[in-house]
Every structure is written in structure tokens, then in C-alpha cells.
């Protein structure tokens, strides 16, 4: 009988899943991936096999699929009808926040779940959905072990100054520190660098994860030394609906002068700022790049400005830079944004190869460029599948 692990990435309006089959004692093969999107509005189910062929694409009844729990029911139903009685060895979850304690993938127990619930205020947009998926799996697949893989873990072990939030000790002692996020993505990039770009794998690399959430990670020898996201996923770069780094005095002003409630401020910071807030029209980079509206152009200008500024800052952290790597939705798919960020970083010695940038090539800098530039598609799900296998003792620990 075939053995599978299921990987779940539960967000506020989508539930993404991947099914991996154990190939041998060392690796997993992607069998299918898909999602329920539009949860709460117009839910839709889609799935593709490992080579990208469409397996399903259909609307779902919005009275039946109205939240994360019922979305998981829809996924479970499809898995049963597609994989029959195949054995699910475990379910691996993306969990955004692991706090100070969880520095690696962890088997979920009632005690672990209780600790993760305490971190909800640190990731209000993501953590409740991640944990709801764990609850839903416990009901749908009782007895199947579940593993939490954290977006913060890859950054643990950074120098103390990188993790520090310079507030009084009684506040810091309550867990107020810089955690960093997108760690599963950075871990994947770090894992493939020796194969894709061996000449820079041991060097000073800045990885730009530019998706609807966006951050940079400064790596030396494939370890995280610093990143632009901090205590929460609000810091650093301009994002789809989040502002990135903000003078904390602005937040005081919102409370004290505009009289906004904590809930209002949370909504502004997580859902109404960034590209959406600047453009007033869209949080999607494709819309903004296709628009002639001055506000849309300003949003793109700010996105690029902020990215280039933070690349400079992380170059200082690394005392130099050998390579810049682009990944995630914008990083993988937008030659224009890559080109603009590389141009703004030309002073560091990055010379883009404009022909390569428009193609599927992974190296997008000129042969003689002192600092090389790369596009490497990320694969957070594969990292979760590997960790799930390792924690469950199914797969040999990888180097
Ligand atoms: P997340 O996983 O955080 O939802 P993704 O990494 O999937 O985000 O990135 C989603 C974003 O990628 C979209 O909001 C869109 O702005 C951007 N994107 C996708 N394709 C393109 C493209 N061809 N050009 C520019 N931006 C793109």
C-alpha cells in the first residue's frame, strides 16, 4: 500500500494542500497539490497532479464551505475519492509563529497546541487559521499524527543583536524579540543553493521572498543572520496590505489623535496598508504594474525603493554581498520588479543580464557581475513534507 503525507497551509481565505508519496527512505514525490480558495465568498476547489496536469477545478457550495473547517471537509472528501484507502502517515502544517520555544518542526500534542494558541496575538492574520486546520484534521483523521513546521524556526540562532527589540527588560522577558518569518521558504532556498548555485552557497547571500507578504533574509553559509520581518509579520518591506517598517509614533498617533480602537489599528496595519494603501486600488503587483494611475506607480516605486534600501542594510550586516536571490510570487514572476531592484542595487556590484531576466533562466546577472543575481522558485511544501517525515521517523534525517 502506498504511504502518503499531506501538507496543509491554511490561510484566511484559502486552504492549500499537497500530497506527497514516500519514494524511498530519503525522499518524497509530489502526487498532487491544490487549494480551496475564496473561503467565505465564492469557494472554489482546484487540484493538479505532480506534473501540473489539472485534476479538478470546480466551484463549491458556499453554504456548505463557509470556513476553514468546512474547507478541510471538502479537501478530505477529494483525497478519499482520489486516493481511496491509501494510508496517510501524517499531516504537516505550516504554522506561522513558533515563538521563542519552537526552533524546529514539532509533533503536535494538546500541550503544544495550547502553547501555539498563546502566540495568536503575535500573528493574528495567520496563526488562528493554521491552528483551526490542526483542530479540523484531529476530527477528520483521528489518530493521524500531525507535525507543525514554523516560519520562524529557520531564523533561530541569529546573533543576539539581530533578535533584540530594545525595550525594557520586563517587556522583552515576555517574549518581545525579533523572530523573522518566511523561514520555510528560506530553508528551501538554502537547501538547493549547493546544487543550483554552488559558487555562492557558502557565501553572503540575500534572499528576497517577494510575495503578498515580503521579506529579505541575510544568509551566510546558508544560515540566517538577520531578516527584515521582526516580532510580527509587519516589519521591513512594503507588502500587499501591510506597510512594512513604520515609525512607532505613527501607531501612537492613530490611538491618541485619531482615537482608533486596537481592532481598527490592527485592520489598518494588516489589511489596508502597503501596496493597497498607497495605490488605493489593489494589493496585486500585476494590477499595479499594468496601471498608469500615479498612485499605482507610486506604490510600485515605494516597493522597489524599500527593497533596495533594506538590501543595503542587510549588506552591512553581512559585511558585503556575493549574491541576491529572488523568490515567491513577485520575485519569481516579475522581470520588471527584479530588474528595478537590481538597478537600484547596481552600486553593490550587481549587473543584471536583461536577456536572461526575461527568460526562465535561474542566473539573471551578467557573466562578469561581481555580485550574481538569481531566480529560484521556492517550495515551502516540500520542506514541510521532509520535516514531517523526519519528525515521524519515516525518513532519514537530511544533512
Ligand atoms: P502568498 O503565498 O504570500 O499569498 P505569493 O508568493 O503567491 O504570495 O505571491 C502572490 C503575489 O505575487 C500576488 O499578490 C501578485 O502580486 C504577485 N504576482 C504573481 N504573479 C505575478 C506577475 N506575473 N507579475 C507581478 N506580480 C505577480
Amino acid at each position: 500500500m502506498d504511504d502518503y503525507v499531506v501538507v496543509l497551509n491554511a490561510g484566511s481565505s484559502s486552504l492549500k494542500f499537497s500530497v506527497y508519496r514516500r519514494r524511498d527512505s530519503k525522499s518524497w514525490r509530489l502526487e498532487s497539490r491544490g487549494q480551496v480558495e475564496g473561503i467565505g465568498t465564492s469557494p472554489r476547489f482546484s487540484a493538479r497532479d505532480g506534473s501540473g496536469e489539472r485534476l479538478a477545478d470546480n466551484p463549491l457550495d458556499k453554504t456548505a464551505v463557509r470556513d476553514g473547517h468546512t474547507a478541510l471537509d471538502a479537501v478530505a472528501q477529494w483525497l478519499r475519492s482520489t486516493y481511496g484507502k491509501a494510508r496517510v502517515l501524517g499531516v504537516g502544517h505550516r504554522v506561522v509563529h513558533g515563538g521563542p520555544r519552537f526552533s524546529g518542526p514539532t509533533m503536535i500534542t494538546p500541550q503544544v497546541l495550547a502553547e501555539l494558541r498563546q502566540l495568536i496575538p503575535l500573528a493574528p492574520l495567520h496563526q488562528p487559521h493554521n491552528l483551526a486546520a490542526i483542530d479540523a484534521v484531529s476530527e477528520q483523521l483521528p489518530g493521524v499524527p500531525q507535525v507543525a513546521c514554523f516560519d520562524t524556526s529557520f531564523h533561530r540562532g541569529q546573533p543576539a543583536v539581530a533578535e533584540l527589540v530594545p525595550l525594557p527588560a520586563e517587556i522583552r522577558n515576555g517574549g518581545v524579540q525579533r523572530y523573522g518569518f518566511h523561514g520555510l521558504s528560506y530553508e528551501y532556498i538554502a537547501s538547493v543553493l549547493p546544487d543550483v548555485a554552488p559558487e555562492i552557497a557558502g557565501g553572503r547571500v540575500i534572499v528576497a521572498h517577494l510575495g503578498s507578504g515580503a521579506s529579505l533574509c541575510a544568509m551566510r553559509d546558508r544560515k540566517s543572520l538577520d531578516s527584515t520581518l521582526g516580532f510580527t509579520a509587519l516589519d521591513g518591506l512594503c507588502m500587499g496590505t501591510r506597510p512594512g517598517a513604520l515609525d512607532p509614533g505613527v501607531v501612537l498617533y492613530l490611538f491618541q489623535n485619531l482615537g482608533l480602537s486596537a481592532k481598527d489599528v490592527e485592520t489598518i496595519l494588516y489589511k489596508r496598508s502597503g501596496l493597497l494603501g498607497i495605490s488605493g486600488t489593489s494589493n496585486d503587483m500585476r494590477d499595479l504594474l499594468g496601471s498608469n494611475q500615479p498612485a499605482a506607480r507610486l506604490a510600485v516605486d515605494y516597493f522597489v525603493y524599500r527593497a533596495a534600501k533594506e538590501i543595503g542594510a542587510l549588506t552591512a550586516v553581512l559585511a558585503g554581498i556575493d549574491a541576491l536571490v529572488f523568490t515567491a510570487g513577485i520575485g519569481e514572476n516579475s522581470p520588471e520588479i527584479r530588474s528595478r531592484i537590481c538597478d537600484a542595487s547596481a552600486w553593490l556590484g550587481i549587473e543584471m543580464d536583461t536577456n536572461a531576466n526575461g527568460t526562465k533562466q535561474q542566473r539573471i546577472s551578467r557573466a562578469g557581475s561581481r555580485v550574481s543575481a538569481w531566480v529560484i522558485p521556492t517550495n515551502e511544501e516540500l520542506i514541510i513534507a521532509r520535516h514531517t517525515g523526519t519528525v515521524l521517523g519515516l525518513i532519514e534525517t537530511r544533512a
Side-chain angles (χ1 to χ4, degrees):
M1 188 191 288
D2 288 331
D3 291 336
Y4 295 93
V5 296
V6 175
V7 170
L8 292 178
N9 179 357
S12 57
S13 66
S14 71
L15 174 64
K16 295 181 183 152
F17 68 92
S18 305
V19 179
Y20 285 85
R21 186 151 67 94
R22 183 157 56 154
R23 198 157 49 176
D24 50 45
S25 67
K26 287 198 178 68
S27 62
W28 297 98
R29 196 180 78 178
L30 179 68
E31 287 291 310
S32 61
R33 66 197 307 176
Q35 62 177 337
V36 177
E37 58 191 323
I39 298 170
T41 49
S42 28
R44 189 168 190 91
F45 181 89
S46 59
R48 291 178 183 271
D49 69 14
S51 54
E53 291 296 318
R54 184 183 298 177
L55 298 174
D57 188 3
N58 52 275
L60 296 168
D61 177 359
K62 84 171 171 202
T63 50
V65 179
R66 53 192 182 282
D67 55 19
H69 208 102
T70 43
L72 186 83
D73 294 345
V75 171
Q77 203 179 346
W78 185 82
L79 292 175
R80 276 192 207 101
S81 69
T82 307
Y83 295 98
K85 295 199 182 310
R87 204 152 53 119
V88 178
L89 298 170
V91 178
H93 294 264
R94 177 183 181 196
V95 177
V96 160
H97 218 303
R101 198 167 92 73
F102 297 106
S103 57
T106 302
M107 182 83 89
I108 295 167
T109 62
Q111 166 68 25
V112 167
L113 202 50
E115 289 187 43
L116 296 180
R117 280 193 215 290
Q118 291 176 359
L119 299 170
I120 286 175
L122 308 194
L125 212 57
H126 300 99
Q127 194 91 340
H129 303 292
N130 304 156
L131 303 187
I134 295 172
D135 289 335
V137 169
S138 308
E139 283 177 29
Q140 275 283 351
L141 297 169
V144 171
Q146 301 189 69
V147 174
C149 301
F150 303 100
D151 264 319
T152 47
S153 297
F154 183 69
H155 302 293
R156 298 288 61 75
Q158 285 177 350
V161 285
E163 292 191 333
L164 188 70
V165 170
L167 291 175
E170 67 270 22
I171 296 174
R172 280 186 275 123
N173 293 343
V176 178
Q177 64 170 70
R178 300 186 73 251
Y179 291 101
F181 297 87
H182 296 137
L184 297 163
S185 175
Y186 293 130
E187 189 175 348
Y188 175 79
I189 301 293
S191 77
V192 297
L193 275 183
D195 294 327
V196 176
E199 63 272 42
I200 49 120
R204 299 160 301 179
V205 177
I206 295 180
V207 182
H209 176 108
L210 309 178
S212 47
S215 70
L216 305 176
C217 179
M219 289 184 201
R220 189 190 293 139
D221 199 14
R222 299 191 289 141
K223 307 235 170 11
S224 172
L225 286 195
D226 202 347
S227 72
T228 57
L229 285 171
F231 175 57
T232 66
L234 286 173
D235 205 357
L237 306 185
C238 174
M239 294 171 249
T241 59
R242 290 170 257 162
L246 196 66
D247 175 351
V250 173
V251 179
L252 283 179
Y253 173 86
L254 298 181
F255 283 119
Q256 294 171 341
N257 295 65
L258 301 188
L260 298 181
S261 69
K263 200 75 207 157
D264 291 338
V265 172
E266 180 183 290
T267 303
I268 289 171
L269 295 178
Y270 279 97
K271 298 188 174 164
R272 293 185 48 208
S273 300
L275 296 176
L276 176 64
I278 304 169
S279 67
T281 50
S282 176
N283 60 345
D284 191 316
M285 187 56 89
R286 285 165 292 199
D287 296 339
L288 302 175
L289 288 171
S291 168
N292 282 327
Q293 294 290 319
R297 299 235 295 267
L298 181 64
V300 177
D301 289 349
Y302 183 73
F303 184 88
V304 170
Y305 170 80
R306 189 83 225 175
K309 186 169 164 174
E310 298 287 342
I311 286 169
L314 289 188
T315 299
V317 167
L318 292 168
I321 174 173
D322 299 309
L324 174 63
V325 176
F326 291 96
T327 195
I330 300 172
E332 292 167 27
N333 297 304
S334 178
E336 182 173 346
I337 295 295
R338 291 196 298 262
S339 155
R340 288 186 58 179
I341 292 175
C342 284
D343 285 351
S345 307
W347 63 280
L348 290 169
I350 302 176
E351 289 177 67
M352 168 160 276
D353 176 341
T354 39
N355 290 330
N357 185 37
T359 66
K360 288 273 168 215
Q361 287 184 51
Q362 294 198 300
R363 187 181 172 128
I364 56 165
S365 51
R366 289 201 198 128
S369 181
R370 189 158 52 78
V371 176
S372 57
W374 304 79
V375 182
I376 304 180
T378 195
N379 194 342
E380 291 146 304
E381 290 80 11
L382 180 59
I383 290 292
I384 297 172
R386 281 181 189 161
H387 281 322
T388 303
T390 306
V391 170
L392 298 179
L394 304 168
I395 291 280
E396 292 169 14
T397 310
R398 293 176 64 91

